[in-house]
Amino acid sequence: MPNYINNIKANQVQGSIYSSKRDNLLIVKVKNKTYHTGLKDTPNNRKLAEQIKIKMFLELHGLSETAIKHENTIKDVFSQYIENHCINLDETTIRGYNLAFKRIIKTDCKIDKEIIENKVIEFIKTEKKLSPASINIYLRAFQIFLNYLKDKEYLPAMKIFKHYKINHSEKEIKIYSDDEISKLLEYFKMKDIEFMILLQLQLFTGMRIGECLKLERKNIKEDRIILENKTVKTAEFVIITPELRDLLLSLPNRKKLFRWSENSYSRLTRRFHDAFKELNINRDNRSFHELRKTYLRKLFDNETPVQVAQKLMRHKNITVTIQNYTKLTDAEMIKYASAVQKIDKK
């Protein structure tokens, strides 16, 4: 909320907050007006309900929001943001939001534009070990929280990411060669067939490692894999060949497709990296995500239209498909330039 003056303290606002016996959801009552919040009775939701009570109090008395002194700190509101606004997001995304907040807001403070901006500047100056790309990732995640503060009228709009992102040279897009893929698949065929199938699933569908580890056997259909997404009503899907489907169904008959949980990511990564050492392959900072990029490169190598590639990769914005995953070599530039010249002559 905007800067407040000390006319009325938040704890002096009359009204009550209680939970319904039937479903344990919080209800706010001010005078004769009752509001069903739809929030579960938790400590953080109690704080959010307190803000609802204040707003109802102001409306009933015809007062401006500047009549109330807001008591919540930025950590209070961030907890509410994670608990309520991010409830349907996956664990990896929430972990990223938490990490960005802890890196930038090292000590709690009141919700003030100047204070927050100074903390962002301090973060950029002091985080010497982080790469420019990593700093931008943290700033982008923190900007989403700032947008939430603006929407909830805690703060005016703040364009932190736009003003403070670090410009850096374009990152080279790294993929796996056919020879490297063959060696890795053959290696895990001898060591762990299930791990080999995990790699093939990523190579032949472009699925993210986290998506693979969440899969259940029921998600495997005749010609596609259904990806259940809590944030959207319509489930996403990826196309699979009959051969890949048979390979996936050859795994042990259990509820989850793969035996590893999402929390196994670090252990799986170490195992993957160990294979590079044993095979004497230069890893070059590549890991599971480069399997997804390799899949996209295969699509382009087979002259898949970029709009189709976007759908297959499940990118919301075609810019992501083009800028973040494709970088043409000089030979490819010559090839496509020649194709354009042929079109121009027709």
Side-chain angles (χ1 to χ4, degrees), residues 120-217:
V120 170
I121 295 170
E122 182 184 2
F123 159 73
I124 295 171
K125 287 181 178 179
T126 58
E127 293 289 353
K128 302 295 184 183
K129 292 183 180 180
L130 291 178
S131 67
S134 295
I135 288 175
N136 286 346
I137 288 171
Y138 287 130
L139 290 178
R140 188 182 291 109
F142 189 65
Q143 179 66 61
I144 295 171
F145 172 57
L146 292 178
N147 294 343
Y148 169 84
L149 293 180
K150 186 253 181 187
D151 291 342
K152 296 297 180 182
E153 299 181 354
Y154 285 100
L155 282 174
M158 293 183 69
K159 304 292 185 181
I160 288 296
F161 180 71
K162 180 179 179 180
H163 293 156
Y164 293 103
K165 69 177 180 179
I166 301 175
N167 294 322
H168 56 94
S169 58
E170 185 180 355
K171 186 178 178 181
E172 181 186 356
I173 304 302
K174 298 175 182 178
I175 61 173
Y176 292 103
S177 69
D178 291 342
D179 182 57
E180 289 171 332
I181 290 170
S182 296
K183 288 180 179 179
L184 287 165
L185 293 180
E186 189 63 32
Y187 172 86
F188 283 107
K189 184 178 180 180
M190 301 297 293
K191 298 280 187 177
D192 186 342
I193 289 181
E194 190 166 341
F195 201 106
M196 180 196 75
I197 295 174
L198 175 66
L199 297 183
Q200 286 180 303
L201 177 58
Q202 295 170 80
L203 278 167
F204 300 149
T205 65
M207 287 177 60
R208 303 171 180 89
I209 180 66
E211 294 171 335
C212 296
L213 297 179
K214 287 180 184 177
L215 280 181
E216 296 184 4
R217 200 172 183 86

Side-chain angles (χ1 to χ4, degrees), residues 93-128:
T93 302
I94 294 173
R95 195 182 306 121
Y97 289 161
N98 274 307
L99 187 57
F101 183 83
K102 289 176 183 177
R103 286 270 194 171
I104 296 171
I105 307 295
K106 293 182 174 66
T107 56
D108 202 6
C109 62
K110 66 179 182 179
I111 304 173
D112 178 86
K113 183 177 180 180
E114 185 176 351
I115 291 174
I116 293 171
E117 194 154 5
N118 285 336
K119 284 185 175 289
V120 170
I121 295 170
E122 182 184 2
F123 159 73
I124 295 171
K125 287 181 178 179
T126 58
E127 293 289 353
K128 302 295 184 183

Side-chain angles (χ1 to χ4, degrees), residues 211-269:
E211 294 171 335
C212 296
L213 297 179
K214 287 180 184 177
L215 280 181
E216 296 184 4
R217 200 172 183 86
K218 67 178 182 179
N219 300 125
I220 311 302
K221 304 301 179 184
E222 190 67 30
D223 62 349
R224 64 192 62 194
I225 296 174
I226 305 299
L227 300 179
E228 297 175 356
N229 192 329
K230 294 180 181 179
T231 60
V232 294
K233 293 181 180 179
T234 305
E236 295 180 315
F237 67 88
V238 295
I239 303 297
I240 56 173
T241 62
E243 293 78 13
L244 180 57
R245 177 182 179 275
D246 291 343
L247 193 62
L248 295 173
L249 295 180
S250 70
L251 292 167
N253 190 6
R254 58 198 168 207
K255 183 179 179 181
K256 276 186 88 281
L257 191 62
F258 294 103
R259 68 179 186 267
W260 306 284
S261 70
E262 287 182 79
N263 295 330
S264 305
Y265 177 76
S266 296
R267 181 160 54 89
L268 291 172
T269 300

